[in-house]
Amino acid sequence: MPNHTPSSDRELVIVREFDAPRRLVWKAWTEPAHIAKWWGPRGFTTRVEKVDFRVGGTWAYTMIGPDSAEYPVVGVFKEIIPIERIVTTDEFGEDYIHRHPSDNLPRGMVLTCLFDDLGERTRLTLRILHRTVEDRINHEKMGVIPGWGSSFDCLDEHLASLASKA
């Protein structure tokens, strides 16, 4: 059983179970064609700029809000254990930072994604470690928890559409 308790006051933990086998959730999480179909809160679209899925490789996505505002996010893969675990940095892209220089954007986040096999279901645990407590608080104020919840709703729908096609 995974630990859902934050390891420090700098960490947020978000857990969701999906009605899909772990291999399918992993595929939806790691393959660009799938990522573009669900990443980001409801009402957003996502442009996958790059996914170099290997340790040391980088990723870059741009979420596009209903108002056409763009929110670039980038990272570097630090650890990959196939269908079990991904550790990556997670940052707001430079384009976003330059447009909003006064925002108290969290920097230096590390995202650990754990994929637990529950048979025909999968538990996904996100552990978001921030550099400081203040960064964690600011990230929460920005709506990271409901944002991931909405993204996970979109992932649920995407996984259901894949299952119906199978």
Side-chain angles (χ1 to χ4, degrees), residues 6-132:
S7 62
S8 81
D9 56 358
R10 296 180 300 127
E11 186 177 56
L12 294 171
V13 178
I14 304 168
V15 180
R16 178 77 168 251
E17 287 189 17
F18 296 96
D19 190 21
R22 181 167 65 168
R23 283 196 182 281
L24 187 57
V25 176
W26 177 268
K27 184 175 185 170
W29 191 272
T30 60
E31 295 182 7
H34 292 288
I35 296 164
K37 302 256 190 224
W38 68 267
W39 187 278
R42 186 171 308 287
F44 281 65
T45 58
T46 295
R47 186 172 60 243
V48 177
E49 312 284 354
K50 179 180 186 177
V51 178
D52 182 6
F53 192 59
R54 62 181 175 81
V55 172
T58 59
W59 59 270
Y61 312 152
T62 300
M63 295 182 295
I64 304 156
D67 61 356
S68 299
E70 294 193 357
Y71 304 89
V73 289
V74 297
V76 177
F77 294 105
K78 299 294 188 185
E79 179 183 357
I80 299 171
I81 300 172
I83 73 165
E84 291 180 18
R85 177 182 172 102
I86 299 169
V87 179
T88 180
T89 61
D90 185 9
E91 301 277 355
F92 292 92
E94 289 298 319
D95 291 346
Y96 184 80
I97 292 165
H98 293 308
R99 279 183 294 161
H100 304 278
S102 64
D103 288 352
N104 291 323
L105 294 172
R107 304 290 293 157
M109 293 178 288
V110 176
L111 177 66
T112 299
C113 312
L114 304 169
F115 299 79
D116 293 307
D117 187 352
L118 305 176
E120 291 301 308
R121 295 181 58 79
T122 303
R123 180 185 309 110
L124 177 59
T125 303
L126 298 185
R127 303 186 77 90
I128 308 168
L129 185 62
H130 300 81
R131 285 187 314 182
T132 66

